[in-house]
Amino acid sequence: MHEIADVEQALRRAAPHRLVNVVEDALRERCGALRVELRLADYALRTLQLVERVPGADPSVPVDGSPQGRAFGSQEPYAVAGPTSVLLHLPVTVRGDRLGVLTAELPSEADLRTLLPGLAQVCEALGHEILVAERDTDLYVLARRATRLTLAAEMQWQLLPGRSCARPEFALAAHLEPAYAIFGDNYDWSVSDGRLTLTVTNGMGEGIEAALLTNLAINALRNARRAGLGLADQAALADQAVYAQYRGAAFVSVLLLSFDLATGEVEAVDAGSPRLWRLRDHSVESIGFEAQMPLGMFEDTVYVTERFSVRPGDRLLFGSDGVYAAVSPAGESYGDRALARALRGARLLPPTHVPQAVLRELAVHHGGGPLEDDALVVCLDWRGAGSTVAV
């Protein structure tokens, strides 16, 4: 424990761009590590990108089919034995948000069972420090890019809270496509004071205009939430902010939900196009609400909340219109039947894998060509207040 505390202190004192060097020095001294490398998942969650160039190392490895990807996907350490050493791949995850994989090359005689608990703590500390360091360096943000982002995508990704989050009561994950050229789709969440607030948004338009509109709406919703306003008033304040700027010429569709972590009671405001499906046992049903006006369409719109409840074992799936409205070559919308099939087919997957699984099925349904709109999927697994699942 004393040695782990020393590594944590060294990480906190280190320059933001030298976190991997600190971990490498510590593992060389304490474990006899021959080398250490860190890879972060790219925005599309298809590759793991090397943070710093290492001679002889591939700058990018696929998530699917690589040893590093196996550790990332399973969230468990994965060791590969060689003639004289062992490559140990360790997931780097913070509060359920999967960042990447730390790889350490250790001597073949290393006792992994003894080392693993401490190495897991080092990876957790490293993940926390990466999130802090991103305020002061672009190193880790750049490592996530397999290609250049459009300016609109840059604005949208900087707005997001993360790609996944887990607590004893729930686990959720989200994914956006096309990851490097998104426009107006977005999501946001916050957990505090016994509640989870989740918003799924779809701003009209394309490019910079859509990104600016969504940024205004998300920040207005956050401002209202942080002022302690209820869900309906959060929608009303954001509605006023968007209308004041665009006078009805642009608007934002949003689904707002507030979950009571103790009871599973949910408040909802449906102000536009994002939709919700629930998988309970083996049955999938669409949960409909009273449709209300999107944010910014009219002046002084009054919003009202509706209620429903979730119970342990429920899986909720949220999709933008780029998902459920996408049509097959035969003209069938994905949301008609195919989305329910995809959700049932992914029922055994953890929530972090579900958005991409649904989007892969969407690509097949669409005929394999490029999507005509952003596609956003958010998956929420509800465990309930009595859950003892570790996070």
PDB file of all heavy atoms in Angstrom, residues 150-163:
ATOM      1  N   THR A 150     -13.686  17.020 -37.719  1.00  0.00           N
ATOM      2  CA  THR A 150     -14.206  18.276 -38.232  1.00  0.00           C
ATOM      3  C   THR A 150     -14.336  19.258 -37.070  1.00  0.00           C
ATOM      4  O   THR A 150     -14.359  18.858 -35.895  1.00  0.00           O
ATOM      5  CB  THR A 150     -15.588  18.083 -38.879  1.00  0.00           C
ATOM      6  OG1 THR A 150     -16.523  17.684 -37.859  1.00  0.00           O
ATOM      7  CG2 THR A 150     -15.539  17.039 -39.983  1.00  0.00           C
ATOM      8  N   LEU A 151     -14.433  20.527 -37.370  1.00  0.00           N
ATOM      9  CA  LEU A 151     -14.578  21.522 -36.307  1.00  0.00           C
ATOM     10  C   LEU A 151     -15.874  21.295 -35.533  1.00  0.00           C
ATOM     11  O   LEU A 151     -15.907  21.415 -34.298  1.00  0.00           O
ATOM     12  CB  LEU A 151     -14.561  22.935 -36.900  1.00  0.00           C
ATOM     13  CG  LEU A 151     -14.751  24.086 -35.906  1.00  0.00           C
ATOM     14  CD1 LEU A 151     -13.745  24.014 -34.769  1.00  0.00           C
ATOM     15  CD2 LEU A 151     -14.647  25.428 -36.637  1.00  0.00           C
ATOM     16  N   ALA A 152     -16.952  20.933 -36.240  1.00  0.00           N
ATOM     17  CA  ALA A 152     -18.218  20.663 -35.552  1.00  0.00           C
ATOM     18  C   ALA A 152     -18.067  19.492 -34.587  1.00  0.00           C
ATOM     19  O   ALA A 152     -18.554  19.537 -33.447  1.00  0.00           O
ATOM     20  CB  ALA A 152     -19.320  20.380 -36.568  1.00  0.00           C
ATOM     21  N   ALA A 153     -17.388  18.429 -35.016  1.00  0.00           N
ATOM     22  CA  ALA A 153     -17.174  17.277 -34.143  1.00  0.00           C
ATOM     23  C   ALA A 153     -16.303  17.651 -32.949  1.00  0.00           C
ATOM     24  O   ALA A 153     -16.536  17.189 -31.821  1.00  0.00           O
ATOM     25  CB  ALA A 153     -16.547  16.136 -34.928  1.00  0.00           C
ATOM     26  N   GLU A 154     -15.292  18.479 -33.179  1.00  0.00           N
ATOM     27  CA  GLU A 154     -14.440  18.952 -32.078  1.00  0.00           C
ATOM     28  C   GLU A 154     -15.280  19.632 -31.008  1.00  0.00           C
ATOM     29  O   GLU A 154     -15.145  19.377 -29.810  1.00  0.00           O
ATOM     30  CB  GLU A 154     -13.391  19.927 -32.610  1.00  0.00           C
ATOM     31  CG  GLU A 154     -12.419  20.441 -31.567  1.00  0.00           C
ATOM     32  CD  GLU A 154     -11.166  19.593 -31.465  1.00  0.00           C
ATOM     33  OE1 GLU A 154     -10.612  19.217 -32.507  1.00  0.00           O
ATOM     34  OE2 GLU A 154     -10.753  19.316 -30.324  1.00  0.00           O
ATOM     35  N   MET A 155     -16.180  20.499 -31.440  1.00  0.00           N
ATOM     36  CA  MET A 155     -17.033  21.214 -30.493  1.00  0.00           C
ATOM     37  C   MET A 155     -17.955  20.257 -29.743  1.00  0.00           C
ATOM     38  O   MET A 155     -18.161  20.399 -28.526  1.00  0.00           O
ATOM     39  CB  MET A 155     -17.855  22.262 -31.238  1.00  0.00           C
ATOM     40  CG  MET A 155     -17.014  23.370 -31.864  1.00  0.00           C
ATOM     41  SD  MET A 155     -17.951  24.406 -33.009  1.00  0.00           S
ATOM     42  CE  MET A 155     -19.105  25.189 -31.881  1.00  0.00           C
ATOM     43  N   GLN A 156     -18.486  19.272 -30.437  1.00  0.00           N
ATOM     44  CA  GLN A 156     -19.415  18.347 -29.802  1.00  0.00           C
ATOM     45  C   GLN A 156     -18.711  17.422 -28.817  1.00  0.00           C
ATOM     46  O   GLN A 156     -19.216  17.158 -27.725  1.00  0.00           O
ATOM     47  CB  GLN A 156     -20.152  17.523 -30.863  1.00  0.00           C
ATOM     48  CG  GLN A 156     -21.035  18.352 -31.787  1.00  0.00           C
ATOM     49  CD  GLN A 156     -22.277  18.881 -31.081  1.00  0.00           C
ATOM     50  OE1 GLN A 156     -22.196  19.531 -30.047  1.00  0.00           O
ATOM     51  NE2 GLN A 156     -23.432  18.582 -31.648  1.00  0.00           N
ATOM     52  N   TRP A 157     -17.541  16.889 -29.183  1.00  0.00           N
ATOM     53  CA  TRP A 157     -16.837  15.986 -28.281  1.00  0.00           C
ATOM     54  C   TRP A 157     -16.385  16.695 -27.018  1.00  0.00           C
ATOM     55  O   TRP A 157     -16.388  16.103 -25.928  1.00  0.00           O
ATOM     56  CB  TRP A 157     -15.634  15.352 -28.987  1.00  0.00           C
ATOM     57  CG  TRP A 157     -16.016  14.180 -29.850  1.00  0.00           C
ATOM     58  CD1 TRP A 157     -16.053  14.148 -31.212  1.00  0.00           C
ATOM     59  CD2 TRP A 157     -16.428  12.882 -29.411  1.00  0.00           C
ATOM     60  NE1 TRP A 157     -16.465  12.913 -31.646  1.00  0.00           N
ATOM     61  CE2 TRP A 157     -16.699  12.112 -30.571  1.00  0.00           C
ATOM     62  CE3 TRP A 157     -16.592  12.300 -28.162  1.00  0.00           C
ATOM     63  CZ2 TRP A 157     -17.121  10.783 -30.497  1.00  0.00           C
ATOM     64  CZ3 TRP A 157     -17.015  10.973 -28.095  1.00  0.00           C
ATOM     65  CH2 TRP A 157     -17.275  10.235 -29.243  1.00  0.00           C
ATOM     66  N   GLN A 158     -15.984  17.959 -27.136  1.00  0.00           N
ATOM     67  CA  GLN A 158     -15.577  18.705 -25.947  1.00  0.00           C
ATOM     68  C   GLN A 158     -16.745  18.959 -25.006  1.00  0.00           C
ATOM     69  O   GLN A 158     -16.554  19.248 -23.825  1.00  0.00           O
ATOM     70  CB  GLN A 158     -14.934  20.031 -26.364  1.00  0.00           C
ATOM     71  CG  GLN A 158     -13.598  19.884 -27.071  1.00  0.00           C
ATOM     72  CD  GLN A 158     -12.557  19.164 -26.230  1.00  0.00           C
ATOM     73  OE1 GLN A 158     -12.339  19.515 -25.080  1.00  0.00           O
ATOM     74  NE2 GLN A 158     -11.924  18.153 -26.800  1.00  0.00           N
ATOM     75  N   LEU A 159     -17.950  18.837 -25.518  1.00  0.00           N
ATOM     76  CA  LEU A 159     -19.149  19.093 -24.718  1.00  0.00           C
ATOM     77  C   LEU A 159     -19.584  17.867 -23.915  1.00  0.00           C
ATOM     78  O   LEU A 159     -20.300  17.994 -22.925  1.00  0.00           O
ATOM     79  CB  LEU A 159     -20.285  19.521 -25.657  1.00  0.00           C
ATOM     80  CG  LEU A 159     -21.540  20.153 -25.074  1.00  0.00           C
ATOM     81  CD1 LEU A 159     -21.213  21.453 -24.358  1.00  0.00           C
ATOM     82  CD2 LEU A 159     -22.551  20.410 -26.187  1.00  0.00           C
ATOM     83  N   LEU A 160     -19.137  16.673 -24.309  1.00  0.00           N
ATOM     84  CA  LEU A 160     -19.653  15.437 -23.720  1.00  0.00           C
ATOM     85  C   LEU A 160     -19.052  15.158 -22.348  1.00  0.00           C
ATOM     86  O   LEU A 160     -17.899  15.495 -22.083  1.00  0.00           O
ATOM     87  CB  LEU A 160     -19.367  14.257 -24.650  1.00  0.00           C
ATOM     88  CG  LEU A 160     -20.037  14.321 -26.023  1.00  0.00           C
ATOM     89  CD1 LEU A 160     -19.577  13.162 -26.882  1.00  0.00           C
ATOM     90  CD2 LEU A 160     -21.548  14.283 -25.872  1.00  0.00           C
ATOM     91  N   PRO A 161     -19.804  14.500 -21.452  1.00  0.00           N
ATOM     92  CA  PRO A 161     -19.290  14.179 -20.118  1.00  0.00           C
ATOM     93  C   PRO A 161     -18.342  12.991 -20.100  1.00  0.00           C
ATOM     94  O   PRO A 161     -17.581  12.806 -19.155  1.00  0.00           O
ATOM     95  CB  PRO A 161     -20.572  13.851 -19.337  1.00  0.00           C
ATOM     96  CG  PRO A 161     -21.504  13.311 -20.370  1.00  0.00           C
ATOM     97  CD  PRO A 161     -21.218  14.095 -21.631  1.00  0.00           C
ATOM     98  N   GLY A 162     -18.388  12.148 -21.110  1.00  0.00           N
ATOM     99  CA  GLY A 162     -17.627  10.907 -21.174  1.00  0.00           C
ATOM    100  C   GLY A 162     -18.383   9.965 -22.091  1.00  0.00           C
ATOM    101  O   GLY A 162     -19.399  10.341 -22.683  1.00  0.00           O
ATOM    102  N   ARG A 163     -17.899   8.730 -22.207  1.00  0.00           N
ATOM    103  CA  ARG A 163     -18.597   7.760 -23.050  1.00  0.00           C
ATOM    104  C   ARG A 163     -19.321   6.705 -22.237  1.00  0.00           C
ATOM    105  O   ARG A 163     -20.160   5.984 -22.773  1.00  0.00           O
ATOM    106  CB  ARG A 163     -17.619   7.098 -24.026  1.00  0.00           C
ATOM    107  CG  ARG A 163     -17.238   8.017 -25.169  1.00  0.00           C
ATOM    108  CD  ARG A 163     -16.389   7.313 -26.188  1.00  0.00           C
ATOM    109  NE  ARG A 163     -15.096   6.972 -25.652  1.00  0.00           N
ATOM    110  CZ  ARG A 163     -13.971   6.926 -26.382  1.00  0.00           C
ATOM    111  NH1 ARG A 163     -14.015   7.216 -27.668  1.00  0.00           N
ATOM    112  NH2 ARG A 163     -12.824   6.595 -25.846  1.00  0.00           N
TER     113      ARG A 163
END
